[in-house]
């Protein structure tokens, strides 16, 4: 009798059960992994697919028409990986910048006391957030290819910007020797601004005298490099695109793929950012604004010192999340053939080499790292913005 | 004794009532607002009329001749040539409508798909009618299990004397809806289990759930779809001929499960500790505790976010086009490659966009409604 009880209580013991469940889970996972990997190896051998990362140093053999770094078909597959990675980052950064600007404008417009503006912003949000991003990318790409003229009939803006089926051609700034000094002056200007601001803030804290710093800031950040630039005799010129034969030469080209992709990504992500900003501003208690007004702060001061700091605390975390979503969505370039990571490496190289496990593994790892970086950023921001207890 | 006679009330000044007041208050309240209003009106003027012209006023609506009450209407149906290029050619959509809805599903069998659509609509109506019925949960359970099975047999065929239709013939809106609903129904229980796993005290289970959820959420769906279509068959012995649709469904289900898990976890975290302690105190075991006390509350508060997450899934179904499934979006290029209708992509895109938009917009309205209905703070 007694013995039975100990067995039953042993079986009913929470800790025993916990350990048993975990061991069973581990066994199941191990079994699934083992049999999966076993089949994988058998299948790979049966199909005579190569394994390992030797393919990375093989000749790629295909051309990529858009690359930030030098690339020819003679380069290796690893080079394609870098080209794709850089293009992904370029699309992500450009998309994020424009999405933030549009999102900010639409978010604030949504709360405007102007009925028309507010409704238009609302319409924009409801329209673009309810159309899948892939449709938007394909739609704009298709529209661009259909409506834009051939290179000979390009839209011409002041003989320097040309728009046609093959993309947008803009003058490219080409730096001459000595331009580095301008950059150094620019960095120096930013550093000096930080010190200058710190100085005036200290003065404000000690004496209560407020100094407007905006003029000094502009002078240091923009004026200083400009003076250096002029003193050195303008060490930079613009390389203008010009029509030679059937196509344009010189200048900087943005392909229709790139434009359709960044445009759609910014327009789509902006709707989410706008909603984040709107809810951030709405989350600030009305009493806060009233209190600021009661203290005698002007409208601008109230916005800058009271409303925005509190609104941003609510708005920034979802916005950063949207940055991550935008970066992940940039992989949809596969559908229109813009050579970012997923299209160039996860698509073309995969088709040529056929080592899906390695190639997709590397591609996923990149997105994993990007996502971890953004999570890290989010944690830092959250920590900085959390309400500091006294 | 003076008698006061009430005088007729004076009307408020014209600037304070009616349309003038409304215009002043809402459109022209300050110099900045005047500028903004004019800019917005100009923008509308530039964009809306050309769009309307393309879609309606200059567009071709010649769907062919038809008679109504003995009167003859219409002209010969427009062709690609008679339509012209400057405006929309809706007869194209009219002719290809079946393609957009059913893909390459055999034309003489589409009645089976129509039955499924009708069943779905009927169940939706019934679901609303029995909302206050006592045993509604049994009904819903039967519906959630019975409807997909019945639909599957109807659409796939191969049993009860129904002719079999292979999955590569499925397409169009039908396929989009199938992928979305299968994805939602199957990934939901997995998501709930993952959420419970992530909240669990058991280290191993917690670890694997967390790793899974975080990994899936970090990578784009397209990489998982590629994995499913290139690598998944290799995991099975001899599974080289893995149905393409099944691969996509596996990828989408695994993907969506991680997102559902995070939504449900949010619901679980919102349940006060007292509920867990009370369940422990009355001696419920883990399964009873979660099934009877925790999950009913947690799921209820997560419903709006679950709908939100389902909306994302619905949008994501368009990606199956990249791995070669013939969903509605894929039909755009497919139909515009028809020799008789070359280069009509724009009409196709507009039609698909509008269809998807109607679905997604009504879903998002519905989720907003649910949010208000389930909100427990007394803001409204």
């Amino acid at each position: 009798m007694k013995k039975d009880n100990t067995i039953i209580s042993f079986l009913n013991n929470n800790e025993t059960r916990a350990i048993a469940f975990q061991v069973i889970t581990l066994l199941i996972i191990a079994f699934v992994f083992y049999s999966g990997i076993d089949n994988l190896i058998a299948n790979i051998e049966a199909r005579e697919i190569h394994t390992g990362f030797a393919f990375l140093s093989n000749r790629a053999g295909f051309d990529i028409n858009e690359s930030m770094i030098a690339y020819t078909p003679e380069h290796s597959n690893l080079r394609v990986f870098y080209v794709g990675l850089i293009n992904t980052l370029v699309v992500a950064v450009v998309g994020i910048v424009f999405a933030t600007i549009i999102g900010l404008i639409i978010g604030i417009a949504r709360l405007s006391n102007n009925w028309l503006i507010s409704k238009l912003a609302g319409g924009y949000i409801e329209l673009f957030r309810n159309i899948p991003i892939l449709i938007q990318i394909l739609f704009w790409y298709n529209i661009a290819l259909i409506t834009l003229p051939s290179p000979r009939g390009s839209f011409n803006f002041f003989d320097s910007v040309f728009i046609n089926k093959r993309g947008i051609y803009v003058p490219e700034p080409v730096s001459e020797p000595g331009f580095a000094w301008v950059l150094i002056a620019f960095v120096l200007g930013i550093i000096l601004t930080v010190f200058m601001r710190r100085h005036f803030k200290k003065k404000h804290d000690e004496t209560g005298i407020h100094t407007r710093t905006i003029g000094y800031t502009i002078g240091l950040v923009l004026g200083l490099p400009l003076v250096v630039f002029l003193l050195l005799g303008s060490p930079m010129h613009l390389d203008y695109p010009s029509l030679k034969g059937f196509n344009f030469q010189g200048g900087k080209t943005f392909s229709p793929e790139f434009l359709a992709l960044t445009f759609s990504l910014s327009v789509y992500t902006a709707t989410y950012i706008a909603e984040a900003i709107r809810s951030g501003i709405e989350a600030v208690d009305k009493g806060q604004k009233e209190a600021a007004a009661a203290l005698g702060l002007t409208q601008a001061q109230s916005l800058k010192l009271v409303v925005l700091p509190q609104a941003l605390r609510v708005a920034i975390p979802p916005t950063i999340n949207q940055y991550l979503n935008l970066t992940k969505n940039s992989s949809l370039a596969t559908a229109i053939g813009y050579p970012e990571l997923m299209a160039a490496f996860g698509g073309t190289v995969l088709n040529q080499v056929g080592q899906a496990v390695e190639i997709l593994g590397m591609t996923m790892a990149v997105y994993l790292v990007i996502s971890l970086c953004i999570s890290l950023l989010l944690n830092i921001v959250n920590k900085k913005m959390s309400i500091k207890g006294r | 004794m003076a008698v006061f006679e009430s005088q007729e009330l004076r009307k408020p000044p014209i600037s304070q009532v009616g349309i003038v007041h409304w215009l002043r208050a809402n459109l022209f309240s300050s110099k900045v607002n005047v500028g903004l209003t004019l800019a917005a009106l100009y923008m509308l003027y530039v964009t809306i009329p050309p769009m309307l012209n393309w879609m309606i006023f200059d567009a071709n609506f010649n769907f062919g001749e038809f008679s109504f009450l003995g009167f003859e209407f219409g002209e010969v149906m427009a062709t690609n040539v008679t339509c012209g290029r400057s405006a929309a050619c809706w007869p194209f959509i009219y002719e290809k409508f079946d393609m957009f809805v059913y893909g390459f599903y055999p034309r003489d069998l589409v009645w089976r798909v129509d039955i499924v659509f009708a069943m779905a609509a009927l169940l939706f109506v019934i679901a609303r009618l029995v909302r206050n019925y006592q045993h509604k949960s049994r009904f819903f359970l039967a519906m959630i299990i019975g409807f997909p099975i019945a639909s599957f047999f109807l659409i796939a065929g191969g049993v009860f004397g129904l002719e079999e239709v292979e999955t590569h013939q499925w397409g169009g809106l039908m396929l989009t809806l199938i992928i979305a609903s299968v994805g939602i129904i199957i990934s939901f229980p997995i998501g709930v289990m993952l959420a419970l796993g992530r909240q669990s005290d058991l280290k191993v289970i917690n670890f694997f759930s967390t790793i899974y959820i975080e990994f899936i959420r970090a990578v784009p769906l397209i990489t998982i779809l590629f994995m499913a279509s290139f690598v998944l068959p290799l995991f099975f012995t001899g599974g080289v001929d893995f149905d393409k649709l099944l691969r996509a469904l596996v990828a989408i289900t695994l993907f969506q499960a991680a997102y559902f898990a995070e939504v449900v976890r949010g619901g679980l975290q919102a349940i006060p500790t007292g509920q867990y302690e009370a369940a422990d105190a009355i001696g419920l075991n883990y399964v009873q505790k979660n099934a009877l006390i925790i999950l009913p509350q947690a799921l209820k508060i997560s419903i709006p976010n679950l709908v939100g997450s389902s909306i994302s899934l619905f949008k994501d179904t368009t990606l199956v086009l990249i791995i070669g499934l013939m969903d509605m979006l894929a039909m755009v290029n497919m139909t515009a490659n028809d020799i008789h209708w070359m280069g009509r992509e724009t009409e196709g895109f507009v039609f698909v966009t509008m269809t998807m938009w109607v679905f997604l917009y009504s879903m998002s309205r519905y989720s907003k409604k649910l949010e208000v209905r389930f909100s427990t703070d007394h803001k409204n």
Side-chain angles (χ1 to χ4, degrees):
Chain A
M1 227 26 206
K2 209 156 200 184
K3 206 180 170 190
D4 283 349
N5 269 342
T6 43
I7 289 173
I8 290 170
S9 67
F10 177 75
L11 285 177
N12 277 334
N13 186 316
N14 273 340
E15 277 175 35
T16 341
R17 287 192 165 194
I19 291 171
F21 270 122
Q22 302 192 56
V23 169
I24 292 170
T25 317
L26 258 185
L27 285 177
I28 292 174
I29 292 174
F31 173 74
V32 169
F33 257 87
Y34 172 76
S35 59
I37 302 279
D38 196 43
N39 284 335
L40 182 69
I41 292 171
N43 278 322
I44 283 178
E45 275 175 4
R47 293 180 176 196
E48 295 176 343
I49 304 173
H50 293 281
T51 49
F53 290 92
F55 74 93
L56 285 175
S57 51
N58 292 355
R59 180 177 170 276
F62 62 94
D63 203 9
I64 297 177
N65 41 22
E66 270 177 300
S67 169
M68 302 297 281
I69 52 177
Y71 175 86
T72 63
E74 298 305 315
H75 275 105
S76 65
N77 283 324
L78 185 64
R79 189 77 170 184
V80 179
F81 176 78
Y82 290 136
V83 170
L85 177 59
I86 292 172
N87 278 342
T88 293
L89 294 178
V90 168
V91 169
V93 169
V94 174
I96 284 171
V97 169
F98 281 101
T100 311
I101 295 171
I102 303 172
L104 210 60
I105 294 171
I106 299 290
I108 292 170
R110 187 81 188 86
L111 291 174
S112 163
N113 57 4
N114 185 319
W115 182 86
L116 187 62
I117 294 286
S118 157
K119 288 288 172 228
L120 271 182
Y124 172 91
I125 292 172
E126 290 298 352
L127 178 66
F128 285 107
R129 84 183 298 175
N130 287 320
I131 301 174
I133 176 70
L134 183 62
I135 298 189
Q136 296 195 33
I137 293 173
L138 289 172
F139 182 81
W140 293 119
Y141 183 56
N142 172 66
I143 289 280
L145 287 190
I146 285 182
T147 52
L148 290 176
S150 66
R152 283 181 175 276
S154 303
F155 296 127
N156 182 344
F157 298 96
F158 310 112
D159 271 336
S160 50
V161 177
F162 299 91
I163 302 178
N164 61 45
K165 262 190 188 13
R166 306 223 177 128
I168 293 184
Y169 297 78
V170 293
E172 186 181 19
V174 180
S175 56
E176 290 161 13
F179 189 71
W181 288 108
V182 180
L183 292 181
I184 292 171
F186 179 67
V187 175
L188 194 69
I190 292 176
I191 295 171
L192 284 176
T193 307
V194 173
F195 278 110
M196 183 265 303
R197 288 227 166 162
R198 206 172 275 175
H199 168 75
F200 282 121
K201 181 157 190 308
K202 202 171 159 201
K203 187 176 155 199
H204 178 253
D205 289 348
E206 281 167 0
T207 63
I209 301 167
H210 187 73
T211 324
R212 285 177 67 89
T213 54
I214 182 81
Y216 296 111
T217 307
I218 292 174
L220 281 172
V221 176
L222 296 177
L224 191 64
L226 191 69
V227 168
V228 174
F229 182 73
L230 293 175
L231 279 180
L232 289 171
S234 316
M236 191 191 76
H237 70 272
L238 288 175
D239 180 23
Y240 287 95
S242 59
L243 188 63
K244 291 203 177 89
F246 290 109
N247 211 347
F248 280 87
Q249 304 263 304
K252 178 99 193 95
T253 319
F254 296 103
S255 70
E257 290 87 9
F258 176 81
L259 294 171
L261 186 66
T262 45
F263 180 79
S264 322
L265 286 174
S266 339
V267 162
Y268 178 76
T269 312
T271 63
Y272 288 91
I273 294 178
E275 286 289 88
I277 284 165
R278 182 188 62 84
S279 64
I281 293 177
E282 279 185 341
V284 179
D285 199 283
K286 205 170 69 180
Q288 295 284 325
K289 269 175 250 178
E290 290 168 357
L295 283 174
L297 298 187
T298 64
Q299 193 101 49
Q301 281 175 323
S302 150
L303 195 68
K304 184 183 152 200
L305 301 170
V306 179
V307 177
L308 274 186
Q310 300 184 64
L312 288 182
R313 185 179 297 137
V314 180
I316 283 185
T319 304
I320 292 181
N321 252 328
Q322 287 309 319
Y323 292 165
L324 176 59
N325 280 344
L326 188 147
T327 312
K328 288 197 293 183
N329 282 336
S330 72
S331 60
L332 296 181
T334 322
I336 54 170
Y338 175 75
E340 49 71 74
L341 187 65
M342 192 61 205
F345 190 68
T348 316
V349 174
L350 175 59
N351 277 337
Q352 294 199 344
V353 180
Q355 289 179 241
V357 181
E358 291 89 344
I359 290 173
L360 290 174
M362 278 174 80
T363 313
M364 281 176 154
V366 168
Y367 287 107
L368 205 60
V369 169
I370 293 176
S371 153
L372 285 178
C373 290
I374 292 185
S375 301
L376 206 65
L377 176 73
L378 195 60
N379 281 343
I380 295 171
V381 169
N382 277 341
K383 202 167 270 178
K384 266 216 151 160
M385 295 204 122
S386 65
I387 299 167
K388 290 179 185 78
R390 257 165 283 180
Chain B
M1 203 170 115
V3 175
F4 287 99
E5 275 181 25
S6 66
Q7 292 194 338
E8 199 181 323
L9 287 172
R10 267 202 292 169
K11 279 195 177 142
I14 189 140
S15 65
Q16 293 303 309
V17 285
I19 187 143
V20 177
H21 172 66
W22 187 89
L23 283 177
R24 270 208 185 168
N26 293 308
L27 294 182
F28 303 104
S29 58
S30 66
K31 272 181 196 158
V32 179
N33 268 336
V34 172
L36 284 175
T37 305
L38 292 179
L41 284 176
Y42 178 73
M43 220 176 70
L44 286 177
Y45 170 74
V46 171
T47 51
I48 300 293
M51 256 165 59
L52 287 182
N53 281 342
W54 186 86
M55 274 178 69
I56 299 168
F57 301 120
D58 296 343
N60 192 318
F61 287 94
N62 284 334
F63 296 141
E65 295 146 331
F66 64 98
S67 63
F68 181 69
L69 297 174
F71 293 100
E72 293 286 325
F73 289 97
E75 306 160 31
V76 181
M77 186 163 146
T79 65
N80 206 13
V81 181
T82 56
C83 261
R85 288 281 149 190
S86 59
C89 183
W90 297 122
F92 161 63
I93 299 293
Y94 179 75
E95 193 186 299
K96 297 287 177 191
F97 188 77
D98 280 0
M99 285 280 273
F100 282 108
V101 178
Y102 311 105
F104 294 104
Y105 204 87
R107 284 295 162 273
D108 49 337
L109 296 178
V110 291
W111 57 270
R112 283 163 34 183
V113 183
D114 290 337
I115 290 182
V116 172
F117 284 155
M119 260 175 16
L122 194 69
L123 285 176
F124 190 74
V125 174
I126 295 176
R128 288 194 73 89
L129 289 179
V130 300
R131 208 156 56 176
N132 301 318
Y133 176 57
Q134 200 186 350
H135 300 296
K136 63 176 177 188
S137 49
R138 268 185 227 168
F139 169 80
F140 283 130
L141 199 66
M143 185 175 110
I144 279 179
I145 295 172
F147 175 63
I149 295 174
S151 314
F152 175 76
F153 284 129
L154 265 172
I155 292 177
V159 283
F160 310 126
L162 292 170
E163 194 181 322
E164 189 178 349
V165 180
E166 283 179 35
T167 55
H168 66 84
Q169 290 174 298
W170 303 10
L173 179 64
M174 176 190 102
L175 187 69
T176 305
L177 293 174
I178 288 175
I179 294 173
S181 26
V182 171
I184 290 168
I185 293 173
I186 300 182
S187 64
F188 181 66
I190 304 177
V192 172
M193 283 202 287
L194 282 170
L196 288 173
R198 199 173 176 177
Q199 289 293 89
S200 162
D201 295 328
L202 307 181
K203 292 244 164 56
V204 173
I205 292 174
N206 185 315
F207 174 78
F208 280 110
S209 310
T210 311
I211 290 281
Y212 178 82
I213 294 171
E214 288 305 322
F215 174 73
I216 296 282
R217 277 160 40 91
V219 297
L221 174 58
I222 185 73
T223 57
I224 299 176
L225 278 170
F226 268 55
M227 268 285 181
S229 62
F230 291 112
V231 183
L232 188 67
L234 299 180
F235 278 114
F236 296 90
T237 37
V240 182
D241 291 322
F242 220 66
D243 189 88
K244 212 194 251 178
L245 175 62
L246 189 60
R247 292 182 213 179
L249 284 176
V250 168
I252 284 193
T253 306
L254 292 179
F255 181 76
Q256 186 61 17
Y259 283 82
F260 272 155
E262 280 302 271
V263 171
V264 174
R265 188 169 75 106
L268 288 173
Q269 280 175 335
I271 305 298
T273 342
Q275 297 289 326
Y276 290 90
E277 288 165 359
D280 286 337
I282 53 173
L284 299 183
N285 66 28
Y286 181 80
V287 176
Q288 288 172 324
K289 180 171 75 176
N290 278 302
L292 300 173
I293 309 287
I294 307 300
L295 278 179
Q297 300 182 65
L299 291 182
K300 189 181 170 189
I301 48 177
S302 357
I303 283 178
N305 286 334
L306 287 172
V307 177
S309 190
S310 309
I311 294 176
S312 310
L313 171 73
F314 195 83
K315 287 187 199 166
D316 285 338
T317 55
T318 47
L319 267 65
V320 298
L321 147 90
I322 299 176
I323 59 165
L325 287 177
M326 292 290 139
D327 76 334
M328 206 183 180
L329 187 54
M331 285 303 145
V332 173
N333 281 323
M334 199 57 76
T335 50
N337 276 339
D338 183 336
I339 195 88
H340 300 295
W341 294 104
M342 279 304 228
R344 289 287 169 192
E345 282 95 351
T346 313
E347 282 85 347
F349 274 121
V350 170
F351 176 67
V352 170
T353 306
M354 288 200 302
T355 316
M356 289 300 259
W357 188 85
V358 168
F359 271 100
L360 286 161
Y361 182 70
S362 17
M363 281 165 88
S364 79
R365 292 262 80 162
Y366 184 60
S367 99
K368 285 232 175 77
K369 225 174 90 183
L370 287 176
E371 213 163 312
V372 174
R373 200 195 311 163
F374 288 117
S375 79
T376 42
D377 58 356
H378 300 281
K379 257 188 205 163
N380 306 308

